[in-house]
Every structure is written in C-alpha cells, then in structure tokens.
Amino acid sequence: MTVPSPSPRPVARPDNSPGTGFGPPLGGPWLVPGHDGRLTVYVSVQDTILRWTQTEIGGVRWQGPEALAAKGVTHVSVVYGENRYAHFLGLRTRPAGDGWSRVDVMCATQYQTARPMTRWHALGNPHKDIEMATEVGAPTGTVTPDGALHVFVPTGSGTVELCREDAKGAWTAWKRLPAAGVTDAPAPAATSTGLVELLVPTRVSALRLHGTKPGAALERAEEAGVVPVPGSATPLETGPGRITYYLTDAAGGGVVALRPGFWPLPLGGAPADGRVAALRAPLDGFDCTVLAVRGATGTVNLGVCATEGEQSGLWWTDTAMRCRSDPSLARDGHGRVVVAVLDAEGRPAVARQEVGQGLTLSDWRLI
C-alpha cells in the first residue's frame, strides 16, 4: 500500500488545546455515513471543524474542506445514530470573573449530508459550584433508534453525569449515574432494540452500566477485571441488543474484547495509546468484525475475526500507513469498508475495501 505524493491540500492539525485532566482532546478524523449513502470526514482544528464529503456514493472524489464554526469549543467528538445525523459534542470555557472560568458542555447537529450544521447549543454543566464545574471531562454520546441523543461527562469527583435529548428536542436536567472512581470518559452505546449502556473506566476495573428497557434509568451491571487505556474503548453491537467493547488493556497493552457474561478475551495486537475502531462487515459471505488501531510503531493495523468468534482467532495486518491519529472505520454506500486517518503530516487520507476476497484495501488517497 502506498501513500500519494504531497499535494497543496491544507494540513488538518488535531485540536491540541489544554485538557481537563481526562486525557488528550479528540481531533478526529471521524468517518460518518450519511442518509444519502455518501461518507463525510470531519477533523477538529482550532475553532473549526473541517468537513470533506464524497461527491458521489462510493466514489473516490471528495469536496472540501469546508469550515464549520466551533469558536471556543474544544474536546470535540462526533456521534451519529440510525438517522445518520452528525452530532458534535465539546466543551466551551469562558472567563467568569475573579480568576475563574465557566465551562459548558456544547452540542451542534448536522441533519443532512454536506448541509450546514446548527448553532452550538449550551447544555450547561452538571455542577453548580464553579470550582467543580471546571473539572468536567470531554463529553461522549450515543443516539437511540428513536433519535434521542444521550450525552455523558466524567467529573472531577469521579462520577459520570447524563443529559438526554428526546426525539422532539427537549433536554433533561443533568443526572448522576451510579458509578464512582471514574478516571476517564465512558464509552456509551445504544442498541438496535433501544437500550442504552456504557462502559465506565475506573481505577481498578471497567464498570458496565445498562438500562433494562428503553428509557429506563441506567443501573450497575458487572465489572471486568481489566483497566482500559484512557480513550481506547469502543462499543459495537455484535448481536441483537448485545454490545461488545473493544479496548486496550492498560496492564498488558494488547486489545481486549469485553462482552457481558464472558471473561475478558485478549486479542493481541500492538496498539498505541489511542482509540480502537470497530465495525461489522460481511467478508466472503461471513459476518465479520474489523478492528483498526494506530500501532505502537505509528502505522495503521487492522484486525479481522468472525463476529463474536474472537476465541477462534483474530488476524492482524500492518498496513504500513504511518499516521498521527487514531483510525476511523465505516461502510460506504456500496457496503465496502473504508478506513480514514490523518497521515504523518496531519492530512486526511482514506483507503477502501477492494472488490475481491477478504479485506484487501486500495492504496491510500489524500482527500
């Protein structure tokens, strides 16, 4: 696999604004499938989200970059659900007098592919006390099949707070969840059956919270005796209403699969300290799970196994593509696997599944 020669396209530099004590801010890229079948790549830079959109379904040409305003918003992340709306989450810090700052959780939405996004909306802060309010971490979110957005933030006191938007756009007040000793942003998921759950990293384990029915309060479930590397955990629905979490074990350094009712399953690999991307895709007629990580040597590594068949083996391949970001995975409008990264110079690049056997990727292309 080769990388094209440098071109005059702009360098997309990830957001490196100061953190809040919960790990580095996310800069992307995020690869999001639109309702019309086209893919969009988003990259967070200072005060801006850059956007590139496929010009046609499954095509190799992209339009962009287009700049979406994010003035003063840091720790940006992008989430989407079955409706394919792209929801942007982040934090905004503003002076509040007497040397203090006001921190608000922020949200904006893009409803259609390549269309403008809404203005940023402040969700406030779960803490009334201004000193405690400055210690919230980066927000994460998930979207249920009915379109309701759930936003979670870790706090400096080691708890997790939830603010939820219903399908009609009304927001609830912040609610504290039953978790303590939280050390990083949780990894939330919504199932096709309408249930919400999340994996919460703590000092000694990974705690799962879940709802027993759609709209129900989240309750404590099992704890796994593995501590995730901050920001590494990713949920994937691997069966109807069943979530598997893929994460990097802080003790062993390899990727681990966590599924309710099973022991943590080591999957090998040599990931760096970033996020594990996960995607289900049919390969050679089999239901497979594809994983992607930035390896310890700085290149993109791909892993493939039968879905929920990790115990039979997961095969890792080093693509030799050097990158400075965590990879992102999606399926395009023709069902092919697409991988997006920021290359060694910070420019967005993609490779897609070639027609043929298994997961053979095309050469990487700058977009």
Side-chain angles (χ1 to χ4, degrees):
M1 306 179 72
T2 59
V3 181
S5 58
S7 71
R9 294 179 178 83
V11 174
R13 302 196 182 280
D15 182 350
N16 289 314
S17 52
T20 58
F22 288 93
L26 300 174
W30 297 275
L31 186 60
V32 177
H35 200 64
D36 66 356
R38 291 185 292 164
L39 295 175
T40 303
V41 171
Y42 301 94
V43 176
S44 171
V45 298
Q46 187 174 8
D47 289 339
T48 306
I49 298 171
L50 296 180
R51 178 179 73 186
W52 290 261
T53 308
Q54 281 183 318
T55 58
E56 60 183 7
I57 297 174
V60 297
R61 297 180 62 86
W62 300 72
Q63 63 185 40
E66 300 170 277
L68 307 179
K71 185 174 179 57
V73 181
T74 63
H75 298 72
V76 172
S77 61
V78 184
V79 298
Y80 66 94
E82 290 183 10
N83 56 18
R84 306 303 192 189
Y85 297 165
H87 298 281
F88 307 95
L89 304 175
L91 297 177
R92 183 184 63 189
T93 302
R94 295 182 296 174
D98 296 329
W100 292 101
S101 297
R102 175 182 176 86
V103 178
D104 288 308
V105 179
M106 305 297 292
C107 176
T109 303
Q110 176 190 300
Y111 291 107
Q112 296 181 20
T113 305
R115 300 294 296 167
M117 74 174 186
T118 65
R119 292 184 177 182
W120 287 93
H121 173 67
L123 305 183
N125 192 297
H127 289 297
K128 301 295 184 182
D129 181 85
I130 194 168
E131 183 175 359
M132 293 293 294
T134 61
E135 298 180 357
V136 297
T140 54
T142 191
V143 183
T144 51
D146 63 357
L149 173 61
H150 296 62
V151 180
F152 302 86
V153 294
T155 70
S157 57
T159 62
V160 175
E161 301 271 350
L162 164 65
C163 185
R164 183 175 66 86
E165 180 192 29
D166 63 26
K168 296 182 180 180
W171 288 92
T172 65
W174 287 98
K175 180 179 181 180
R176 180 165 296 182
L177 301 181
V182 178
T183 58
D184 188 35
T191 70
S192 58
T193 56
L195 302 181
V196 174
E197 64 173 76
L198 65 158
L199 190 73
V200 182
T202 69
R203 297 184 184 92
V204 296
S205 68
L207 167 67
R208 192 173 71 93
L209 304 179
H210 72 137
T212 57
K213 60 182 180 180
L218 298 180
E219 305 172 357
R220 289 176 66 99
E222 70 280 354
E223 292 188 53
V226 58
V227 178
V229 167
S232 66
T234 293
L236 181 68
E237 187 170 19
T238 53
R242 191 165 54 252
I243 299 293
T244 299
Y245 295 90
Y246 298 95
L247 56 92
T248 302
D249 184 357
V255 177
V256 171
L258 290 181
R259 190 157 48 246
F262 295 86
W263 292 102
L265 181 62
L267 304 179
D273 57 358
R275 181 185 64 249
V276 180
L279 177 74
R280 281 179 70 178
L283 300 176
D284 298 336
F286 295 96
D287 180 4
C288 293
T289 294
V290 180
L291 305 182
V293 298
R294 180 178 182 268
T297 61
T299 57
V300 179
N301 292 342
L302 297 181
V304 177
C305 67
T307 297
E308 295 197 344
E310 298 93 347
Q311 69 280 358
S312 298
L314 187 144
W315 290 266
W316 290 97
T317 300
D318 188 337
T319 68
M321 171 60 171
R322 301 199 64 81
C323 61
R324 56 178 294 180
S325 71
D326 302 328
S328 184
L329 292 169
R331 292 174 62 190
D332 69 12
H334 297 313
R336 293 174 295 192
V337 176
V338 179
V339 190
V341 296
L342 298 181
D343 73 3
E345 297 183 36
R347 302 169 300 182
V350 297
R352 67 178 183 178
Q353 178 184 2
E354 296 273 64
V355 177
Q357 293 185 340
L359 182 59
T360 301
L361 292 184
S362 66
D363 289 345
W364 292 89
R365 298 175 59 97
L366 297 177
I367 63 174

